Amino acid sequence: MKQTLMGNDAIAWGLIHANVDMVSGYPGTPSSEILTVVQKIKKQLDLPTYAQWGTNEKVGFEVAYAGAIAGKRTCATMKQVGLNVASDALMSASYIGNLGGMLLVAADDPGFHSSQTEQDSRFFAKYARIPVLDPATPQDAYDFVKLGVEISEEFQIPVMLRPVMRVCHAREIIEMDAETHYKPNKGEFKRDIPRWGAVPRKDRFPQGKEQLQRVETLKEYNWNTFLQPEFKKCSGDKLLIIASGTGYGFAKETLNDLQLEADLVKVVMPYPLPNEEIKQYTQKYEKVLVLEEPMPCIEEQISQPNVYGKNTNTTHQIDEISKTSILLALKKIGMYNGANIYEAPKIPDTFEIPKVAPRPPALCPGCPHRDVYYAITKVFRPKKSIYPSDIGCYTLALAQNAIDTILCMGASVSMASGFSIADPDKTVVATLGDSTFFHSGIPPLINAVYQNHKFILIILDNSTTAMTGRQTTPEREHTEVDIKKVVQGCGVECHEYHYSNDLNQSIDFMKSLQEAYKSATGPVVAVVREFCILDGERAPDFIPHDYAVVDEEKCIACDACTTKYKCPPMEYNDNGKIEIDPFLCAGCGACLDVVCPTDAFIKDESRGQ
Amino acid sequence: MENIKYQSVIAGFGGQGVVFLVKVLAICAGNRNIPFLGTENHGMSQRGGAVSCHIKIGDFTNPVIDKNQADLLIGLEYRETIRNLDFLKKEAQVVTNDDPKMPELPFATAKIDAFTKAKNKEFPIQGLNVYMLGITLATVKNFPFSLEEVKEAITQMNAKVAEQNIAILDQAINDIKGESV
């Protein structure tokens, strides 16, 4: 059956058609839609599937892994930096293995579109000595999910599927099973203490030897199943291109566009590679070019003097692959001498493309975070403060100069500790969201309480994982999981503020924290109860529909709103006055007071409920 | 299978419904059994940031459009149109939301000030994406899909709101009547 699907939809359907019935993970672009779509299919087809967000990737992985030990077919989904968090479990699981198939989906983000690193999860597979499959398109993604689950079950080891953003968020018409005959395995834990409870060194050492043997078996499997048929089609002449994932799709089009003759081998499983067998073929060529992203995983495994790629500085070292970068690489190795056809034509020569201001992502109009950060910088002045923050929508308060550091999930809290020790003359005001707090903010808070680190921590609770598309958080599903109680359980009082669109109230709350800080001997912790403006369930209760307009007579073009408040509808018009874009204004009414020193923002009486 | 190769860029900013148009055209292609490969922006770009989606209709193997390759650019806002001109090949066509600050473009261009029309309540602003698709259908001669095919796809996507969207399509076509690029 043909279906138009996004890559992540295809992965979700692949899981269902592979009889996977336990899926857990943690949201992160570009992986987030996978689990959401599994939840939708579950509802649509009334399936008994477990499909739930874990509190973090490690938890998600471990839930799924235990399921696979008990014989079920399972999957854990995450983005590449999430795998860093889950890696502790993965490294050990790769010795122990599983009975039911377990697929680990780690979505990479070459080009840093929405990630703090450009790391290559295939290297994690290599590090953990588990096989990895690298899809080129949504169709591949669907097919490789089924394949990966089968391989995992056959070899009793987790298998990684590594789609990149251009697979996850590509859309394609794919061929998939017409009907869903869902027959999940029955879960049954079989006690095997030497295996599941393997202790070092007695039980782990033999598992390590098995792991090495398994890698050799997988190389043979890779050769017989995927690689040999590909290499057999090759002529063995001048140029061979070895590509995996998106590298394959880009290479094929480039060769076609440039009308170049070359052999092209698609690598389905970039690790483990049977180097000796591959060498038999690569040595027949004058030059071999490896195209993969973002790091040289295949290239390092098959390195020879005639093999070119990232390590030889032939292909691009950073950013997404492109046909331009392939063309330039072909030039470097003397396989293409024509023009760069991927340069924008200048027509006519006199026409220069005008420069337009960048449009960076911003906090949504009506987002409570904006007010909270406005109040923070108003009360805790930048010169005397340090603002560590974290991973989430609120990171966009960078535009308000209200954030100094971003490292990784949960780091705002531990970095607040570090800064408070290193620079005690300043007030450290750390911020993180509810989902990030549950993900990895609790251990550093306990650390700060027991070691008496003096800083202010503000937890922005909008009851959703907003940045990645509003996935469910623990307290949303189960209100007994309450941030205030958790903080108290860590041994410290929790101040609480229910967000109001009256900015004066937010400022007063920050002042109360400032007072508390003066006499504090450890962390001062607060939770701000907010909402997400895109949250269809909760947001309508909070929006008064007070739309703003500008009284041009009063606007003195002082930049106060465009630098400190930064709400997207506010822009200068041709008269040099601020104008509110009526299509963007959310009607939150928050700017009607405080923001403008001359009170130029007034309520639009012609709009509203 | 039809031997067609057509590459389009649809540009706008977060919230304008660029991805909706990608889905509509994907369904159009699917209904005619033509291969379709496209790429969308998710995540950060949802927050009002620049959005540029690529659509490749025909036999392609990667979803990204390189510079100097696109046949068509649909710009839902003039600055986003300008930002994406690099993707166009010489003979390409542009359909854009117009603005007084928009320069004359060295491409065959259909322009309409859709923001002003929406401000005058001629159509709801949420329908701007569909409105610009209507302008495209009316002005781009070698556009791979017909009005009927697009209407069919819009109905397949969400029958509930299809009526309003189809009305917007028809209105756009009527608004730009007589012009072509």
Side-chain angles (χ1 to χ4, degrees):
Chain A
M1 179 180 71
K2 286 208 187 316
Q3 272 282 1
T4 305
L5 295 179
M6 197 169 73
N8 283 344
D9 304 332
I11 292 172
W13 277 107
L15 290 169
I16 296 299
H17 290 159
N19 293 314
V20 170
D21 78 331
M22 282 178 70
V23 188
S24 63
Y26 188 80
T29 313
S31 72
S32 312
E33 296 86 0
I34 299 169
L35 202 148
T36 312
V37 176
V38 172
Q39 289 173 333
K40 274 186 198 153
I41 301 170
K42 166 192 161 81
K43 211 172 154 190
Q44 187 188 324
L45 302 181
D46 194 23
L47 303 177
T49 319
Y50 169 87
Q52 293 278 348
W53 293 112
T55 40
N56 66 31
E57 294 86 354
K58 181 173 181 291
V59 172
F61 181 97
E62 288 158 354
V63 169
Y65 179 58
I69 283 182
K72 281 199 170 285
R73 290 184 159 193
T74 72
C75 172
T77 76
M78 58 200 66
K79 69 184 293 179
Q80 89 284 36
V81 287
L83 181 55
N84 297 341
V85 178
S87 63
D88 202 5
L90 169 66
M91 296 306 286
S92 203
S94 74
Y95 285 87
I96 301 165
N98 38 271
L99 296 178
M102 176 176 174
L103 191 73
L104 163 63
V105 183
D108 283 0
D109 189 13
F112 306 87
H113 288 277
S114 35
S115 306
Q116 61 270 42
T117 75
E118 204 189 35
Q119 66 195 65
D120 189 328
S121 295
R122 297 176 307 163
F123 276 87
F124 246 127
K126 184 166 176 260
Y127 193 22
R129 294 178 176 147
I130 60 162
V132 54
L133 306 176
D134 192 3
T137 57
Q139 178 73 61
D140 272 359
Y142 174 80
D143 295 337
F144 290 7
V145 166
K146 292 166 137 187
L147 189 61
V149 172
E150 294 290 341
I151 296 171
S152 173
E153 210 159 271
E154 183 180 342
F155 293 92
Q156 296 202 1
I157 195 74
V159 170
M160 182 191 289
L161 180 80
R162 193 291 300 246
V164 298
M165 186 275 268
R166 295 293 179 192
V167 173
C168 292
H169 291 161
R171 189 172 292 274
E172 188 183 28
I173 300 161
I174 75 158
E175 184 64 46
M176 68 174 212
D177 295 354
E179 281 166 43
T180 303
H181 302 288
Y182 198 52
K183 288 197 187 75
N185 295 348
K186 190 181 174 302
E188 190 190 354
F189 176 71
K190 291 182 182 138
R191 180 165 291 117
D192 183 356
I193 296 170
R195 183 172 183 189
W196 313 129
V199 289
R201 160 180 162 99
K202 182 175 117 338
D203 295 329
R204 268 302 156 94
F205 191 79
Q207 284 186 340
K209 282 170 59 179
E210 278 172 34
Q211 185 189 56
L212 287 172
Q213 185 49 50
R214 194 185 303 119
V215 169
E216 292 311 310
T217 317
L218 279 161
K219 281 182 184 174
E220 209 181 305
Y221 171 86
N222 195 356
W223 180 251
N224 293 330
T225 317
F226 305 119
L227 289 166
Q228 196 176 32
E230 284 276 310
F231 276 106
K232 273 192 172 160
K233 287 186 271 178
C234 294
S235 62
D237 188 19
K238 228 173 138 190
L239 173 65
L240 170 68
I241 293 177
I242 298 180
S244 93
T246 42
Y248 173 78
F250 280 81
K252 204 170 168 195
E253 271 187 30
T254 311
L255 290 175
N256 196 24
D257 291 350
L258 304 180
Q259 298 182 341
L260 278 184
E261 292 286 330
D263 286 330
L264 176 58
V265 162
K266 180 176 180 173
V267 179
V268 171
M269 187 192 279
Y271 177 84
L273 289 178
N275 187 23
E276 284 308 312
E277 286 83 351
I278 292 175
K279 208 165 88 184
Q280 300 295 320
Y281 284 86
T282 53
Q283 65 190 10
K284 294 181 197 167
Y285 289 84
E286 191 182 316
K287 279 168 185 171
V288 178
L289 181 65
V290 182
L291 295 173
E292 58 188 327
E293 61 178 351
M295 288 171 178
C297 178
I298 294 173
E299 186 188 349
E300 285 185 2
Q301 291 177 76
I302 65 165
S303 176
Q304 291 290 326
N306 67 337
V307 174
Y308 296 83
K310 289 167 190 284
N311 284 340
T312 56
N313 204 18
T314 308
T315 61
H316 68 299
Q317 305 270 7
I318 189 167
D319 209 348
E320 278 189 276
I321 196 166
S322 67
K323 291 201 277 187
T324 317
S325 64
I326 298 174
L327 182 148
L328 295 176
L330 289 167
K331 269 195 161 185
K332 273 191 191 169
I333 56 170
M335 292 290 166
Y336 176 69
N337 301 313
N340 183 355
I341 61 162
Y342 306 122
E343 258 173 11
K346 295 272 178 284
I347 35 164
D349 287 344
T350 49
F351 183 79
E352 277 289 325
I353 291 179
K355 290 235 175 322
V356 280
R359 191 194 295 275
L363 289 172
C364 300
C367 174
H369 291 334
R370 178 179 291 104
D371 289 24
V372 174
Y373 282 99
Y374 184 90
I376 288 173
T377 53
K378 188 112 182 155
V379 174
F380 303 98
R381 306 304 294 178
K383 274 189 183 160
K384 293 185 174 172
S385 312
I386 305 172
Y387 311 122
S389 191
D390 228 294
I391 313 289
C393 283
Y394 44 88
T395 308
L396 299 170
L398 277 166
Q400 289 168 273
N401 292 319
I403 287 174
D404 282 316
T405 63
I406 302 161
L407 185 67
C408 61
M409 294 287 281
S412 58
V413 190
S414 18
M415 288 178 80
S417 283
F419 289 131
S420 73
I421 297 162
D423 191 353
D425 295 339
K426 296 202 181 89
T427 307
V428 180
V429 186
T431 47
L432 87 169
D434 51 324
S435 192
T436 309
F437 177 69
F438 288 122
H439 180 286
S440 43
I442 298 167
L445 178 59
I446 294 171
N447 186 63
V449 172
Y450 98 80
Q451 295 177 11
N452 295 317
H453 298 146
K454 190 176 166 183
F455 59 84
I456 295 169
L457 173 66
I458 300 169
I459 303 163
L460 308 166
D461 173 21
N462 59 10
S463 292
T464 188
T465 313
M467 188 86 208
T468 46
R470 299 177 302 288
Q471 290 80 13
T472 309
T473 49
E475 81 279 20
R476 181 72 171 261
E477 189 86 12
H478 193 90
T479 49
E480 282 303 297
V481 182
D482 181 53
I483 291 174
K484 196 171 173 182
K485 286 187 201 161
V486 173
V487 170
Q488 286 164 345
C490 293
V492 62
E493 185 195 347
C494 187
H495 301 260
E496 188 175 20
Y497 169 57
H498 290 269
Y499 167 81
S500 155
N501 68 343
D502 176 359
L503 255 175
N504 286 307
Q505 288 193 34
S506 298
I507 292 168
D508 287 346
F509 179 69
M510 293 306 156
K511 285 182 180 161
S512 75
L513 293 182
Q514 197 175 34
E515 276 309 302
Y517 180 79
K518 280 179 189 160
S519 56
T521 52
V524 174
V525 184
V527 58
V528 181
R529 307 294 191 181
E530 301 181 359
F531 59 91
C532 170
I533 188 80
L534 301 176
D535 187 335
E537 266 178 43
R538 292 182 71 233
D541 296 343
F542 293 90
I543 297 299
H545 297 278
D546 289 340
Y547 297 90
V549 283
V550 176
D551 181 348
E552 285 204 5
E553 298 283 305
K554 286 186 179 170
C555 175
I556 55 165
C558 66
D559 280 350
C561 59
T562 54
T563 56
K564 291 180 190 143
Y565 197 64
K566 283 263 179 189
C567 196
M570 299 171 181
E571 254 192 340
Y572 281 107
N573 63 17
D574 292 340
N575 305 331
K577 305 284 185 177
I578 291 292
E579 190 174 319
I580 304 265
D581 185 335
F583 297 141
L584 293 179
C585 180
C588 74
C591 66
L592 296 173
D593 207 357
V594 183
V595 173
C596 180
T598 59
D599 292 326
F601 293 122
I602 52 173
K603 196 173 154 186
D604 183 352
E605 298 296 346
S606 72
R607 292 180 77 185
Q609 279 179 319
Chain B
M1 196 193 295
E2 290 176 72
N3 189 14
I4 182 174
K5 274 202 163 189
Y6 196 80
Q7 307 188 47
S8 323
V9 175
I10 305 181
F13 53 80
Q16 284 195 306
V18 173
V19 172
F20 177 86
L21 295 186
V22 176
K23 289 181 186 169
V24 170
L25 297 181
I27 292 172
C28 287
N31 288 346
R32 275 242 304 271
N33 203 20
I34 310 173
F36 175 100
L37 195 52
T39 179
E40 304 167 9
N41 297 86
H42 291 255
M44 294 280 260
S45 46
Q46 287 183 347
R47 309 286 176 266
V51 174
S52 170
C53 293
H54 298 182
I55 294 171
K56 295 163 94 168
I57 295 161
D59 184 22
F60 291 99
T61 51
N62 86 71
V64 181
I65 296 176
D66 275 66
K67 286 178 185 172
N68 193 14
Q69 303 296 307
D71 300 283
L72 172 68
L73 165 63
I74 304 175
L76 304 188
E77 197 263 356
Y78 88 98
R79 281 172 288 194
E80 299 314 317
T81 301
I82 293 172
R83 212 188 298 285
N84 287 278
L85 290 175
D86 269 358
F87 292 112
L88 296 175
K89 59 187 183 197
K90 231 176 177 173
E91 320 75 55
Q93 290 168 295
V94 178
V95 174
T96 182
N97 193 351
D98 203 7
D99 187 276
K101 295 194 234 16
M102 182 72 151
E104 270 308 308
L105 299 177
F107 298 96
T109 305
K111 297 189 273 194
I112 193 155
D113 185 350
F115 280 147
T116 300
K117 285 187 179 291
K119 269 183 201 167
N120 295 339
K121 301 204 164 36
E122 291 179 38
F123 67 85
I125 185 69
Q126 295 78 15
L128 182 108
N129 51 355
V130 175
Y131 188 85
M132 294 309 294
L133 183 58
I135 302 294
T136 307
L137 285 164
T139 59
V140 179
K141 283 198 200 87
N142 60 347
F143 191 68
F145 305 115
S146 69
L147 175 61
E148 281 62 41
E149 287 174 313
V150 169
K151 284 182 178 175
E152 170 69 26
I154 284 176
T155 311
Q156 273 172 262
M157 260 183 85
N158 187 343
K160 273 186 234 156
V161 295
E163 201 178 326
Q164 191 192 25
N165 278 326
I166 287 170
I168 294 171
L169 267 185
D170 287 332
Q171 188 192 338
I173 291 164
N174 198 44
D175 285 353
I176 196 117
K177 217 172 211 165
E179 292 186 41
S180 69
V181 291

